[in-house]
């Protein structure tokens, strides 16, 4: 039947506008919940850039410095080599832009089996390097013109990445680029941050608390959630991709470092690197956690059922060609 309501909905919202309907039994036990997102214009929640960091370069590095921070940008990769906040290094390893993840059981048919490697049908996506063609400093904005190129392949992604750094250490990251025509659909595209602190606690607004993907999110709901890196691991028999969250608008690590996107992004927080998961065939082969690995992704492909079913539907494949992704990092 139809349930009529006199509820009115806003034309705009900060994070999301939803209607939640829960079915319970006579004892109040939840039997099922449906969440319907209402179309409403989302406010821009990007952190503001106020003032300017001191920008200077030495050798192959560009530095952005302020009262309680110092960031180092690599002129050969266009990535962040170091993030020192309150005198402490935050990064375990330089940041990365990457386009691969540990293959799932449903993606095994996409591997180049003759090489016995997760190279995604010969595109060598987990063997890429960065070509930086130019680095430009304009006030408090650092721009790199670059490409991401797999070994023995033409670049799959030509892009510019701009970092605008405020006097308080806030960074606005703007990624604009184009995926090579004829390139196979990608598993994902985004940024990887490896933080020194292991098993970091984080809170986020997005689909949770279970893992969610473009085609796998009916068990999740938009809300605020709190978790830890170790609690995001999903113990599949074969270590593989896991723990993603879609529809994320904001993610904060240890009440300290906050990521916010221009619209939405996909986020993944894990104890393990992508390469650790790729190399392990059993859970006991993953090894110890070395850092907290945080993915801030433009997009991920869905999961599908191709281990024993049809190939992933085209509507769930990441085959975008023109990329525009903006987010901020605030401390």
């Amino acid at each position: 039947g139809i349930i009529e309501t006199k509820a009115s909905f806003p034309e705009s919202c900060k994070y999301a506008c939803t209607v939640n309907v829960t079915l319970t039994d006579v004892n109040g036990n939840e039997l099922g919940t449906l969440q319907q997102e209402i179309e409403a214009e989302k406010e821009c929640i990007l952190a503001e850039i106020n003032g300017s960091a001191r920008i200077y370069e030495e050798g192959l590095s560009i530095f952005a410095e302020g009262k309680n921070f110092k960031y180092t940008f690599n002129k050969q990769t266009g990535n962040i080599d170091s993030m020192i906040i309150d005198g402490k290094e935050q990064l375990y390893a330089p940041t990365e832009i990457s386009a691969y993840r540990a293959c799932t059981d449903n993606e095994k048919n996409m591997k180049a089996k003759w090489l016995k490697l997760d190279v995604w049908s010969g595109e060598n996506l987990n063997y890429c390097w960065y070509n930086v063609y130019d680095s430009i400093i304009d006030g408090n904005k650092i721009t790199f013109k670059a490409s991401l190129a797999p070994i023995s392949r033409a670049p799959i992604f030509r892009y510019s990445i701009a970092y605008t750094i405020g006097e308080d250490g806030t960074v606005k990251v703007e990624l604009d680029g184009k995926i090579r025509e004829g390139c196979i659909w990608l598993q994902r595209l985004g940024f990887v941050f490896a933080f020194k602190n292991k098993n970091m606690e984080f809170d986020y607004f997005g689909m949770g608390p279970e893992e969610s993907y473009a085609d796998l999110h009916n068990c999740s709901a938009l809300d605020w959630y709190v978790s830890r890196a170790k609690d995001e691991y999903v113990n599949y028999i074969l270590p593989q991709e896991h723990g993603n969250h879609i529809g994320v608008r904001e993610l904060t690590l240890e009440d300290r470092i906050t990521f916010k996107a221009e619209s939405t992004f996909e986020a993944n927080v894990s104890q393990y690197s992508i390469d650790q998961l790729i190399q392990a065939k059993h859970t006991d082969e993953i090894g110890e956690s070395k850092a907290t690995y945080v993915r801030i992704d433009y997009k991920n492909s869905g999961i599908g059922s191709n281990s024993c079913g049809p190939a992933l539907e085209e509507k769930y494949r990441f085959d975008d060609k023109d990329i525009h992704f903006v987010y901020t990092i605030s401390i």
Side-chain angles (χ1 to χ4, degrees):
I2 297 175
I3 300 175
E4 295 186 2
T5 175
K6 295 181 180 179
S8 59
F9 302 107
E11 294 182 0
S12 64
C13 60
K14 188 171 184 180
Y15 293 101
C17 180
T18 65
V19 173
N20 299 321
V21 180
T22 300
L23 178 66
T24 61
D25 62 19
V26 292
N27 297 315
N29 298 311
E30 181 180 339
L31 300 177
T33 295
L34 171 68
Q35 182 180 77
Q36 179 66 51
E37 186 169 5
I38 305 301
E39 288 189 13
E41 184 177 348
K42 293 182 176 66
E43 298 174 12
C44 178
I45 61 171
L46 289 176
E48 293 185 4
I49 303 296
N50 296 311
S52 174
R54 185 169 76 91
I55 310 293
Y56 60 98
E57 55 184 315
E58 293 179 3
L60 296 176
S61 298
I62 299 175
F63 300 94
E65 198 172 78
K67 182 179 179 181
N68 65 329
F69 71 93
K70 183 177 181 179
Y71 305 147
T72 305
F73 300 86
N74 191 313
K75 292 167 69 173
Q76 292 183 302
T77 65
N79 296 326
I80 305 174
D81 277 353
S82 170
M83 293 181 71
I84 297 174
I85 301 172
D86 292 333
K88 296 181 179 180
E89 177 60 67
Q90 303 298 309
L91 297 182
Y92 170 78
T95 64
E96 298 177 357
I97 294 176
S98 63
Y100 75 104
R101 64 191 187 196
C103 282
T104 67
D105 287 331
N106 292 334
E107 292 171 334
K108 63 184 181 182
N109 294 321
M110 295 297 295
K111 297 181 186 180
K113 295 179 180 179
W114 61 92
L115 292 175
K116 297 183 180 179
L117 296 170
D118 290 343
V119 293
W120 205 242
S121 288
E123 283 287 3
N124 296 337
L125 296 182
N126 55 323
Y127 296 98
C128 288
W129 73 89
Y130 305 98
N131 293 314
V132 174
Y133 309 109
D134 197 8
S135 58
I136 304 162
I137 299 174
D138 182 11
N140 65 338
K141 187 175 186 177
I142 305 167
T143 303
F144 297 99
K145 308 284 187 180
S147 68
L148 187 66
I151 290 176
S152 301
R153 297 290 184 273
I156 61 163
F157 184 40
R158 296 182 183 274
Y159 60 92
S160 70
I161 182 168
Y163 304 93
T164 305
I165 308 100
E167 62 185 358
D168 61 354
T170 298
V171 183
K172 183 179 183 180
V173 183
E174 300 171 90
L175 178 68
D176 289 279
K178 190 172 183 64
I179 303 294
R180 189 187 73 215
E181 292 296 333
C183 179
I184 194 169
W185 57 278
L186 303 177
Q187 291 172 296
R188 54 171 286 272
L189 179 69
F191 295 77
V192 179
F193 292 77
F195 291 99
K196 275 191 169 183
N197 288 351
K198 300 178 184 178
N199 192 29
M200 293 178 81
E201 182 178 275
F202 65 100
D203 61 89
Y204 66 97
F205 182 89
M207 282 283 190
E210 308 297 334
E211 62 181 359
S212 58
Y213 294 83
D215 61 342
L216 183 68
H217 59 262
N218 286 340
C219 61
S220 301
L222 285 171
D223 207 340
W224 281 101
Y225 299 98
V226 178
S227 184
R228 281 191 174 275
K230 71 178 181 64
D231 296 328
E232 294 293 293
Y233 183 69
V234 181
N235 192 20
Y236 293 113
I237 294 174
L238 172 70
Q240 58 191 274
E241 163 66 20
H242 65 273
N244 193 63
H245 298 285
I246 66 172
V248 178
R249 297 219 67 202
E250 183 173 326
L251 180 147
T252 298
L253 301 165
E254 302 282 1
D255 294 321
R256 184 56 167 148
I257 301 173
T258 297
F259 298 89
K260 297 180 180 180
E262 190 174 48
S263 54
T264 61
F265 61 101
E266 301 193 26
N268 185 305
V269 180
S270 177
Q271 293 186 94
Y272 308 117
S273 69
I274 297 172
D275 290 334
Q276 278 182 286
L277 295 172
I278 286 176
Q279 293 166 12
K281 300 304 178 187
H282 302 90
T283 301
D284 62 352
E285 297 174 358
I286 299 176
E288 293 184 5
S289 172
K290 298 179 176 64
T292 295
Y293 298 90
V294 179
R295 289 192 342 220
I296 305 297
D297 282 349
Y298 166 78
K299 187 180 286 188
N300 270 255
S301 284
I303 298 300
S305 58
N306 196 215
S307 64
C308 57
L312 182 66
E313 291 185 62
E314 289 188 10
K315 64 181 179 180
Y316 297 127
R317 299 177 184 179
F318 172 23
D319 57 5
D320 300 26
K321 296 301 180 187
D322 296 303
I323 308 301
H324 173 71
F325 185 36
V326 179
Y327 66 95
T328 55
I329 310 167
S330 52
I331 61 175

